[in-house]
C-alpha cells in the first residue's frame, strides 16, 4: 500500500465486511487494554468513560474518517473533537498506532513533562485536532471548523464526540443553533449516551430526555444507534458521510453502557474515576480478551 | 426620517459618522482582507453597534452572525482559526472578557489560535445601561491569561494601526476599544508598535501613564499643567501586555510621581501592572493609581460619569494638581 494511505478498506459507502467488523472489534479491545495499561501508570483515570465509547473510537478512526497514517496535520483529514476530553486516555493509543507520535510516549502517560495527560492538548499531542477538558466547548469548536472548512473550500467532515452529561451545558445548545442556522452539513455530533455522570444517573442529576427530540427540534438530523455494535455504527456513519444532499448537521445518539466490557464497572457507576488494583486489572484484561471469543 | 442622536447614545446605525473609532474596525478589516489577509469576522447581535455590518456587506461570506451566543462565538472562532483564517470577533467588553473568559483561556489562548477579540464599549462608556454593560475588570482578567496580548487603544487612528499590526502578531489578542466616538489623539500615520509605549514626555513632577480613552484626558491635563509651569509627562501604554517596562522605568527614574489613569478598576488593571514593575525594579517614584476605585459605577450618561469619576481632561488635571501641592 502506498505510503501515507490508510491500511483499512475504502469506506466510500455500502456496508462493512465481516473482516472489517472484526478489525473494528479488535481495535476496540486494543483501546480498552491500552486504557487499563496507561491508567496503571497514572494510578487513577476514567476507565468507564472510555469503555462506553471504545467502539466509537475504533469505528471513527479505522473506518469512517479520512486520515493519513503518520500525517496528523494533513489539511484534508476529517477532524475529530472530544467534548468528553476525559476519555483521551482511550484516544492516545490510537493516535500512536496511526504513527502520529512515537508509541514510547504512551509509557510515560501523565508523568512529569509528558505531552499526554488526562485531557487532550493540541499543542502537545499530534493528532489532537482541538484541546478539551472543559465540557461544553467542543461542539462550538466544531461549528467553527465546519465554517472555516466551507469558507476555505475544503470538504473535510468534523466529528464531535459529546458526553450525555455534557447535554446539560448551555453552550452545547448555542452551538446546536449555530450548526443548524449555518447549515453545517459536514458537522456530525455523536452523543455517548451511557446514562451516567460523576454524581449519578444523568437524568436524575439534570434530565436531558427527550434527547433525540431536542436535537430534532434544534434543526438537526437525528439517528439512534447501538454504540457498541460496530457494524451498525460503521454502516450508519458511512451513510451519514456519503449523504451529500443533507443540508443540516447530524446528531447520532449512540446508546452505550458505561464501563462496557467489565462486568463490575457496568453495574457500578462509581467507576467514573477509579484505579484497578493489580489483581482486578488482571481480571479486567481477562474479561476484555474473553469478549473476543 | 432622520433620527437625532445624542453624543451619549450608543445605538447609532450611522456608525461612520457617529463613532469614527469603531467604524475603523470594519474599514480596516476590509482593507486587510482586500490586501489578501485571511481575515474573517464574527458578531453576536451587535453588528450595528460595532460597525461590523460594513465588513459583512463587503465580504458576506467571511462574516458570521452568531446571535446572542458569545461563548459559542469565541469557541467557534478558535475552531475556525485552525483552518487557516484569522478571525476578528467583537462584542461588548463586559460580555467578551467576563462571560467568555473561560472560552478565551481554553480555546483561544491555551490552544494558541490567532483569534483577535475586540471588546468594545469598555469601562463605564455604556453609562446608564449599568453594571451589566460596564467592563471595569477586563484588563485585570485578560492580562492574567497566559499567551494572550492585551491592547487598549486611545482613538480610531491608533486602533487602525493596531489592527494592521495584528496580522503579523504571533499571539491571540484582546483589543479593548471604547465606545467609538473618542476624541482623536493621533494622526493617521502615527507610528505604532505592539508592546512599545508612546512616550509623549517624561515630567520631573509627574508622568501620567494612561491607556484607552484616558490618554486624551491625560493629554489635556498634561498640557494644562505644563501651561501653569509644572513639569508633567505622559506615556500612552496602549499595550498592557506585554507591558513596556523600559518606558515605566524611564519615568520612574526621572519623575517624582507616576500617576496611572484608566477607565478600569484600579485593582489589577494598568495601575496594577505598573505597580508590579515599580515594586520589582525598585523605582523611586511614588505611584498613584486613578480610575474606578473598586466600586460599581453610578448610573448616568457617559459624559456625566467621566466628569464624576474625574476621567475627563479637567478631572485628571484636578487629580494631578492635588499631587503637586
Amino acid at each position: 500500500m502506498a505510503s501515507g494511505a490508510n491500511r483499512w478498506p475504502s469506506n466510500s459507502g455500502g456496508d462493512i465486511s465481516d473482516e472489517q467488523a472484526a478489525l473494528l472489534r479488535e481495535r476496540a479491545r486494543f483501546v480498552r487494554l491500552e486504557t487499563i495499561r496507561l491508567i496503571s501508570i497514572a494510578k487513577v483515570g476514567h476507565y468507564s468513560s472510555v469503555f462506553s465509547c471504545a467502539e466509537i473510537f475504533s469505528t471513527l478512526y479505522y473506518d469512517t474518517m479520512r486520515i493519513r497514517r503518520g500525517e496528523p496535520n494533513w489539511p484534508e483529514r476529517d477532524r475529530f473533537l472530544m467534548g468528553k476530553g476525559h476519555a483521551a486516555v482511550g484516544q492516545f493509543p490510537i493516535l500512536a498506532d496511526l504513527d502520529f507520535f512515537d508509541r514510547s510516549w504512551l509509557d510515560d502517560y501523565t508523568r512529569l513533562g509528558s505531552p499526554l495527560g488526562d485531557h487532550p492538548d493540541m499543542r502537545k499531542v499530534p493528532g489532537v485536532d482541538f484541546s478539551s477538558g472543559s465540557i461544553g466547548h467542543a461542539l462550538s469548536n466544531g461549528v467553527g471548523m465546519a465554517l472555516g472548512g466551507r469558507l476555505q473550500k475544503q470538504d473535510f467532515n468534523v466529528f464531535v464526540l459529546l458526553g450525555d452529561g455534557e447535554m446539560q451545558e448551555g453552550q452545547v445548545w448555542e452551538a446546536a443553533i449555530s450548526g443548524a442556522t449555518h447549515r453545517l452539513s459536514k458537522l456530525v455530533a455523536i452523543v455517548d449516551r451511557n446514562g451516567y455522570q460523576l454524581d449519578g444517573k444523568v437524568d436524575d442529576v439534570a434530565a436531558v430526555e427527550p434527547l433525540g427530540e431536542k436535537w430534532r427540534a434544534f434543526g438537526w438530523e437525528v439517528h439512534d444507534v447501538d454504540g457498541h455494535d460496530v457494524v451498525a455504527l460503521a454502516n450508519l456513519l458511512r451513510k451519514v458521510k456519503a449523504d451529500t444532499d443533507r443540508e443540516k448537521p447530524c446528531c447520532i445518539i449512540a446508546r452505550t453502557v458505561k464501563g462496557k466490557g467489565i462486568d463490575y464497572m457496568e453495574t457500578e457507576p462509581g467507576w467514573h474515576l477509579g484505579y484497578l488494583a493489580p489483581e482486578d486489572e488482571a481480571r479486567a484484561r481477562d474479561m476484555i480478551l474473553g469478549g473476543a471469543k | 426620517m432622520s433620527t437625532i442622536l445624542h453624543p451619549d447614545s450608543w445605538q447609532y446605525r450611522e456608525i461612520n459618522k457617529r463613532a469614527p473609532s469603531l467604524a475603523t474596525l470594519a474599514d480596516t478589516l476590509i482593507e486587510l482582507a482586500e490586501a489578501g489577509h485571511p481575515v474573517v469576522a464574527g458578531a453576536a447581535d451587535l453588528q450595528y453597534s460595532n460597525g461590523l455590518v460594513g465588513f459583512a456587506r463587503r465580504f458576506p461570506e467571511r462574516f458570521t452572525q452568531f446571535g446572542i451566543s458569545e461563548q459559542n462565538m469565541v469557541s467557534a472562532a478558535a475552531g475556525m482559526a485552525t483552518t487557516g483564517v484569522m478571525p476578528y470577533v467583537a462584542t461588548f467588553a463586559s460580555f467578551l472578557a467576563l462571560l467568555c473568559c473561560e472560552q478565551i483561556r481554553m480555546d483561544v489562548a491555551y490552544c494558541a489560535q490567532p483569534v483577535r477579540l475586540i471588546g468594545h464599549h469598555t469601562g463605564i462608556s455604556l453609562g446608564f445601561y449599568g453594571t451589566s454593560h460596564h467592563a471595569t475588570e477586563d484588563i485585570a482578567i485578560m492580562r492574567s491569561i497566559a499567551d494572550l496580548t492585551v491592547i487598549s487603544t486611545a482613538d480610531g487612528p491608533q486602533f487602525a494601526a493596531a489592527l494592521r499590526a495584528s496580522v503579523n502578531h504571533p499571539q491571540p489578542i484582546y483589543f479593548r476599544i471604547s465606545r467609538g466616538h473618542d476624541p482623536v489623539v493621533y494622526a493617521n500615520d502615527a507610528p505604532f508598535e505592539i508592546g512599545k509605549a508612546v512616550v509623549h514626555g517624561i515630567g520631573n513632577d509627574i508622568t501620567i501613564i494612561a491607556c484607552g480613552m484616558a490618554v486624551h484626558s491625560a493629554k489635556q491635563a498634561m498640557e494644562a499643567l505644563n501651561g501653569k509651569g509644572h513639569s508633567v509627562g505622559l506615556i500612552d501604554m496602549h499595550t498592557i501586555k506585554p507591558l513596556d517596562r523600559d518606558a515605566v522605568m524611564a519615568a520612574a527614574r526621572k519623575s517624582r510621581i507616576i500617576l496611572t489613569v484608566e477607565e478600569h478598576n484600579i485593582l489589577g488593571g494598568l495601575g496594577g501592572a505598573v505597580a508590579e514593575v515599580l515594586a520589582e525594579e525598585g523605582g523611586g517614584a511614588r505611584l498613584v493609581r486613578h480610575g474606578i476605585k473598586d466600586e460599581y459605577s453610578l448610573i448616568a450618561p457617559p459624559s456625566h460619569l467621566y466628569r464624576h469619576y474625574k476621567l475627563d481632561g479637567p478631572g485628571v488635571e484636578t487629580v494631578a494638581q492635588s499631587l503637586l501641592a
Side-chain angles (χ1 to χ4, degrees):
Chain A
M1 194 170 277
S3 166
N6 260 336
R7 66 181 163 81
W8 44 95
S10 164
N11 55 18
S12 55
D15 292 349
I16 67 167
S17 64
D18 292 345
E19 181 196 8
Q20 177 70 350
L23 169 74
L24 299 184
R25 290 189 194 101
E26 187 279 319
R27 289 289 83 183
R29 279 193 297 277
F30 160 75
V31 166
R32 290 191 172 91
L33 291 170
E34 282 292 88
T35 296
I36 289 175
R37 181 173 78 89
L38 266 55
I39 294 178
S40 76
I41 300 170
K43 304 288 189 284
V44 65
H46 294 91
Y47 299 99
S48 59
S49 306
V50 174
F51 295 170
S52 71
C53 61
E55 281 77 16
I56 298 172
F57 279 149
S58 75
T59 302
L60 282 170
Y61 275 107
Y62 296 99
D63 191 77
T64 310
M65 291 204 293
R66 181 173 66 195
I67 43 181
R68 275 188 182 167
R69 171 173 294 277
E71 293 186 46
N73 298 318
W74 181 40
E76 294 172 39
R77 73 192 184 282
D78 284 339
R79 270 59 166 180
F80 175 65
L81 312 181
M82 265 203 293
K84 48 176 290 179
H86 52 277
V89 64
Q91 181 193 26
F92 294 149
I94 293 178
L95 301 182
D97 183 49
L98 293 171
D99 297 331
F100 289 168
F101 56 81
D102 196 277
R103 285 167 175 73
S104 66
W105 289 21
L106 299 173
D107 303 336
D108 289 321
Y109 173 67
T110 68
R111 290 191 173 132
L112 181 66
S114 169
L116 309 178
D118 194 63
H119 298 93
D121 182 340
M122 69 187 292
R123 289 170 79 172
K124 294 177 181 161
V125 187
V128 169
D129 287 319
F130 211 84
S131 306
S132 72
S134 179
I135 285 170
H137 294 205
L139 191 59
S140 294
N141 303 141
V143 163
M145 285 186 189
L147 283 167
R150 184 162 69 191
L151 182 63
Q152 303 276 55
K153 303 200 176 358
Q154 298 167 345
D155 73 342
F156 59 77
N157 292 276
V158 183
F159 296 94
V160 187
L161 177 62
L162 304 170
D164 53 355
E166 186 167 10
M167 300 298 99
Q168 295 157 355
E169 284 279 10
Q171 190 179 343
V172 170
W173 301 102
E174 294 184 2
I177 291 173
S178 261
T181 301
H182 297 291
R183 300 170 192 265
L184 300 178
S185 57
K186 294 288 187 182
L187 180 62
V188 180
I190 303 171
V191 181
D192 180 359
R193 184 73 174 110
N194 62 36
Y196 285 92
Q197 60 190 112
L198 257 175
D199 277 1
K201 285 186 179 173
V202 169
D203 283 85
D204 290 344
V205 173
V208 302
E209 288 293 346
L211 197 53
E213 287 178 42
K214 283 191 173 72
W215 284 96
R216 216 168 274 118
F218 274 74
W220 289 52
E221 180 178 296
V222 178
H223 298 274
D224 185 273
V225 69
D226 177 345
H228 298 299
D229 179 345
V230 293
V231 174
L233 196 56
N235 289 343
L236 173 62
L237 282 163
R238 285 181 175 201
K239 285 193 185 73
V240 163
K241 197 175 160 177
D243 179 5
T244 52
D245 294 331
R246 188 180 61 245
E247 291 188 340
K248 54 172 77 170
C250 182
C251 175
I252 295 171
I253 297 174
R255 283 174 282 105
T256 59
V257 175
K258 194 150 182 173
K260 175 72 176 178
I262 310 295
D263 56 11
Y264 51 87
M265 288 190 191
E266 292 181 17
T267 54
E268 174 47 62
W271 271 100
H272 181 88
L273 259 179
Y275 172 52
L276 289 167
E279 59 272 25
D280 294 325
E281 190 181 313
R283 275 178 60 211
R285 286 180 184 282
D286 288 345
M287 270 185 256
I288 291 165
L289 291 168
K293 291 166 190 162
Chain B
M1 195 183 92
S2 67
T3 307
I4 297 170
L5 287 161
H6 188 273
D8 277 335
S9 169
W10 64 274
Q11 189 62 57
Y12 24 74
R13 298 215 164 202
E14 292 178 85
I15 195 159
N16 287 306
K17 296 174 191 163
R18 302 292 310 160
S21 63
L22 261 176
T24 296
L25 173 58
D27 292 347
T28 310
L29 293 187
I30 289 169
E31 169 196 315
L32 294 172
E34 287 177 341
H37 296 288
V39 170
V40 300
D45 201 34
L46 285 173
Q47 64 171 335
Y48 293 101
S49 298
N50 56 39
L52 279 178
V53 61
F55 182 85
R57 286 179 182 141
R58 175 65 183 83
F59 289 107
E61 75 288 357
R62 293 196 191 203
F63 174 77
T64 305
Q65 171 61 267
F66 287 95
I68 308 171
S69 69
E70 294 84 0
Q71 295 166 311
N72 177 51
M73 174 172 76
V74 170
S75 297
M80 278 183 97
T82 66
T83 67
V85 297
M86 188 175 284
Y88 290 73
V89 295
T91 189
F92 287 153
S94 54
F95 306 146
L96 190 57
L98 279 80
L99 179 63
C100 306
C101 169
E102 203 240 359
Q103 284 76 11
I104 292 172
R105 182 181 73 116
M106 275 302 297
D107 299 348
V108 175
Y110 171 57
C111 291
Q113 294 306 313
V115 177
R116 282 70 176 98
L117 305 147
I118 322 285
H120 52 83
H121 291 78
T122 52
I124 51 175
S125 69
L126 277 172
F128 51 75
Y129 290 86
T131 297
S132 62
H133 285 55
H134 294 167
T136 53
E137 307 88 353
D138 58 330
I139 294 177
I141 295 168
M142 291 294 109
R143 81 181 186 90
S144 69
I145 294 177
D147 296 343
L148 182 68
T149 295
V150 180
I151 296 175
S152 171
T153 54
D155 66 1
Q158 193 180 59
F159 183 31
L163 286 170
R164 289 184 194 110
S166 73
V167 294
N168 294 316
H169 189 66
Q171 285 189 336
I173 302 173
Y174 174 74
F175 285 105
R176 185 176 205 259
I177 307 302
S178 197
R179 66 191 171 129
H181 33 148
D182 324 301
V184 172
V185 177
Y186 296 103
N188 284 328
D189 59 352
F192 178 88
E193 188 182 332
I194 293 173
K196 190 162 177 51
V198 180
V199 180
H200 292 260
I202 304 288
N204 291 323
D205 297 322
I206 297 177
T207 295
I208 304 172
I209 302 180
C211 65
M213 57 74 65
V215 171
H216 183 265
S217 307
K219 189 158 178 277
Q220 281 186 318
M222 172 185 75
E223 287 164 357
L225 291 168
N226 286 340
K228 293 175 186 170
H230 300 291
S231 174
V232 177
L234 169 63
I235 294 172
D236 171 3
M237 194 63 77
H238 52 70
T239 306
I240 313 281
K241 184 183 174 184
L243 195 79
D244 187 343
R245 297 172 74 97
D246 292 343
V248 174
M249 290 314 296
R253 281 190 286 270
K254 186 175 173 192
S255 309
R256 193 160 53 82
I257 295 166
I258 289 177
L259 172 64
T260 58
V261 183
E262 60 194 311
E263 188 197 18
H264 185 278
N265 196 332
I266 58 168
L267 303 183
L270 174 64
V274 169
E276 289 163 14
V277 175
L278 293 176
E280 286 173 349
E281 302 286 343
R286 175 192 167 201
L287 172 69
V288 177
R289 293 169 301 163
H290 179 53
I292 305 298
K293 296 188 171 52
D294 202 24
E295 62 186 306
Y296 295 106
S297 167
L298 298 174
I299 292 293
S303 58
H304 297 218
L305 288 181
Y306 293 141
R307 194 181 317 135
H308 177 81
Y309 289 105
K310 296 186 168 59
L311 285 166
D312 58 1
V316 175
E317 183 187 341
T318 304
V319 172
Q321 180 79 60
S322 71
L323 301 173
L324 291 167

